[in-house]
Amino acid sequence: MIFGSLQTLAAFVITLGILVSVHEFGHFWVARKCGVRVLRFSVGFGKPLWTWTDKLGTEYVIALIPLGGYVKMLDEREGPVAEHERHESFNAKPVLSRIAIVAAGPIANFILAVAALWLMYMAGIRTIVPQVGNVLPDSPAAVAGVVPGDEIVSIDGEETPGWQQINMELLSSIGDTRDLSVGTRAGTPGQLSSAAVREKNVAISNWLVDDSGEGIADPLRELGIEPYTPLVPTVLGELTPDGAAQAAGLETGDRIVATNGQPVQDWLSWVHMIRANPGKELQVELERDGQTLELALTPGVRELDGKPSGYIGAGVQQVGWPDEMVRKLQYNPVAALPRALDSTWTLTSMTVESLWKMVVGLVSVKNLSGPITIAKVAGASLQSGLENFLYFLSMLSVSLGVLNLLPIPVLDGGHLLFYLVELVRGKPVSERVQMLGLKIGVTFVVGIMMLALYNDLSRLF
């Protein structure tokens, strides 16, 4: 447990360190090009852990608290500047130079996203063919004629080689009421076909908006689609310490044969049986080392979709996917670049749309995430391989770039707003207005950070 926590913390520090360093380097590099003297380049806040000063007098710092960073420039607003140094101060530069310096941070984040996705596409993406395993009765997908075995090849004209792309396309339609154009290719579950692609119109209404205001539902489940998965044998993998399975005497490697006299065909059917019997004693027949045993198992109780559900704290022993159901998409450096640019644009559009829908109430603010969630996802993505980590890094980098461009004083976008007003008026915004905006901006940003942290803690307990 401690080792896992250290891995999560290390992944969080690495991820945030990369994002902050690239963002601040954008400001730093353009400031130097514009002739502004940079006094300090800091990754993190608080007590310095490491410092170094270059020949131009810039101090480089890695600080204790890894929740951001800053570039400190020579500026008459922050202290006295000698007359012979005034030409190197930030505030003395033309407004276009100041705009370039401030905008360089978010732009650097977008460049990082493109670079991460470019590397990801060159390294190759392993994805599962998005074939439908089951369609829920009377669901939007069922009404549109989607059936088990269909392979989903596109959503609204966008290619969907895997489930991740499908979820991204579905999430981009949050709040919409219209017909989704879903391209499908008929087949048999577990067996792909080369049938012609047919477009099916799936009706959505207030798509993915929870009437209770709790947030976003599961996109595929709301559509009525359950992905195809190969039959998984009921062989136990890892057991949770002190879980119901371990307490009953079950062990890793046990193969479940029957429950309450009913044969168990595969792992999914057993999961459904466990979930349907919260707190009820079950007689489980199993095979262990060639012997047949019978044990009493009482699932624990927890809430799932607003209803009590059973769970036992046991994972399944992993099995491989059939070769034909696994795709690896890999591109040469030239072909990977336009795909990286297109994916960055898609992530940016989706981030902007999500923020807007949060403002108008289509998406709950409960979906905001803070450092705890970021740390957990960073740890999981780093453990699951380079491909997932690069994709998560690009998503986070785009989010940081978009958020910093919001016209809120204290963020880069707020400074840009003041400088754009200055460009139009021909004179700077008054110090009084800037200070008032700064106070409002700090209050707003701190409030959002507290809300995100509250959401993180709510998910833990």
Side-chain angles (χ1 to χ4, degrees):
M1 182 69 75
I2 293 175
F3 181 68
S5 299
L6 289 175
Q7 278 188 318
T8 299
L9 179 61
F12 173 70
V13 172
I14 291 170
T15 304
L16 215 57
I18 294 171
L19 293 172
V20 170
S21 298
V22 169
H23 180 92
E24 298 305 333
F25 181 77
H27 293 310
F28 167 83
W29 188 78
V30 176
R32 281 257 178 106
K33 290 296 180 181
C34 291
V36 175
R37 182 187 297 181
V38 179
L39 304 178
R40 177 178 291 179
F41 182 117
S42 179
V43 177
F45 299 108
K47 182 180 178 180
L49 300 176
W50 176 86
T51 61
W52 174 71
T53 303
D54 68 11
K55 61 183 180 181
L56 297 178
T58 300
E59 182 185 28
Y60 299 86
V61 177
I62 295 178
L64 180 63
I65 305 172
L67 295 178
Y70 61 92
V71 171
K72 184 178 180 181
M73 305 173 211
L74 191 67
D75 195 319
E76 291 178 298
R77 298 168 300 177
E78 297 182 7
V81 175
E83 184 62 32
H84 69 279
E85 296 178 329
R86 189 174 182 278
H87 69 284
E88 292 183 297
S89 67
F90 175 82
N91 67 292
K93 294 298 177 181
V95 65
L96 288 177
S97 295
R98 282 177 276 143
I99 288 174
I101 293 169
V102 171
I107 290 173
N109 284 122
F110 292 117
I111 294 173
L112 172 62
V114 173
L117 290 167
W118 182 61
L119 288 173
M120 183 188 78
Y121 284 122
M122 285 194 297
I125 307 168
R126 185 180 180 274
T127 184
I128 303 300
V129 174
Q131 189 179 48
V132 177
N134 186 38
V135 179
L136 302 179
D138 302 321
S139 65
V143 172
V146 178
V147 296
D150 279 355
E151 178 190 346
I152 301 175
V153 298
S154 65
I155 301 279
D156 286 339
E158 294 292 329
E159 291 184 6
T160 53
W163 289 112
Q164 183 183 72
Q165 290 83 2
I166 289 174
N167 278 310
M168 290 291 288
E169 291 300 325
L170 293 178
L171 286 171
S172 68
S173 299
I174 293 173
D176 290 357
T177 298
R178 60 183 180 86
D179 283 350
L180 278 175
S181 178
V182 180
T184 63
R185 182 184 289 123
T188 302
Q191 298 178 12
L192 302 182
S193 77
S194 57
V197 174
R198 297 182 61 186
E199 296 292 329
K200 296 176 181 177
N201 294 321
V202 181
I204 57 174
S205 178
N206 291 325
W207 178 239
L208 298 179
V209 178
D210 189 340
D211 292 335
S212 66
E214 291 297 315
I216 300 173
D218 176 10
L220 282 173
R221 188 166 185 81
E222 288 296 306
L223 211 58
I225 290 174
E226 293 180 350
Y228 166 77
T229 55
L231 288 180
V232 178
T234 51
V235 180
L236 300 185
E238 185 177 356
L239 304 183
T240 302
D242 302 322
Q246 190 180 76
L250 291 171
E251 298 178 2
T252 297
D254 287 348
R255 180 179 178 272
I256 309 302
V257 176
T259 301
N260 285 352
Q262 294 181 340
V264 177
Q265 303 297 331
D266 64 280
W267 180 262
L268 188 59
S269 63
W270 198 53
V271 169
H272 288 159
M273 196 174 292
I274 294 297
R275 288 180 176 176
N277 291 278
K280 299 178 183 178
E281 185 176 283
L282 303 173
Q283 296 301 314
V284 177
E285 184 181 334
L286 60 95
E287 289 182 357
R288 178 189 299 166
D289 298 328
Q291 296 183 329
T292 300
L293 304 174
E294 189 168 306
L295 298 174
L297 170 67
T298 303
V301 183
R302 63 183 173 189
E303 194 172 287
L304 183 66
D305 295 332
K307 299 177 182 178
S309 176
Y311 75 103
I312 61 171
V316 65
Q317 198 167 87
Q318 296 298 320
V319 296
W321 280 82
D323 289 342
E324 68 167 0
M325 296 298 293
V326 180
R327 286 181 179 143
K328 185 168 184 181
L329 310 175
Q330 193 168 17
Y331 306 92
N332 62 47
V334 175
L337 184 56
R339 289 188 174 271
L341 289 167
D342 182 64
S343 295
T344 301
W345 174 253
T346 299
L347 287 172
T348 303
S349 301
M350 189 174 135
T351 302
V352 172
E353 288 175 8
S354 297
L355 286 171
W356 172 247
K357 288 172 179 177
M358 200 172 289
V359 170
V360 298
L362 291 175
V363 178
S364 171
V365 293
K366 291 185 178 181
N367 291 291
L368 281 172
S369 297
I372 296 175
T373 298
I374 292 172
K376 290 172 66 177
V377 177
S381 65
L382 198 57
Q383 287 178 348
S384 58
L386 179 65
E387 164 197 331
N388 288 312
F389 178 70
L390 289 172
Y391 189 75
F392 174 67
L393 183 67
S394 64
M395 287 181 64
L396 214 55
S397 195
V398 165
S399 296
L400 185 61
V402 170
L403 290 173
N404 266 283
L405 287 175
L406 294 178
I408 300 170
V410 83
L411 298 179
D412 292 331
H415 295 300
L416 286 174
L417 178 63
F418 287 143
Y419 297 146
L420 289 172
V421 171
E422 178 182 344
L423 188 64
V424 173
R425 295 176 67 219
K427 60 180 181 179
V429 176
S430 69
E431 287 290 332
R432 184 179 66 83
V433 171
Q434 290 192 49
M435 287 305 298
L436 177 62
L438 184 64
K439 291 178 182 178
I440 295 173
V442 168
T443 303
F444 179 80
V445 170
V446 170
I448 291 295
M449 290 175 63
M450 291 298 100
L451 176 60
L453 184 59
Y454 172 78
N455 289 343
D456 281 357
L457 294 174
S458 298
R459 296 181 186 114
L460 291 176
F461 303 104

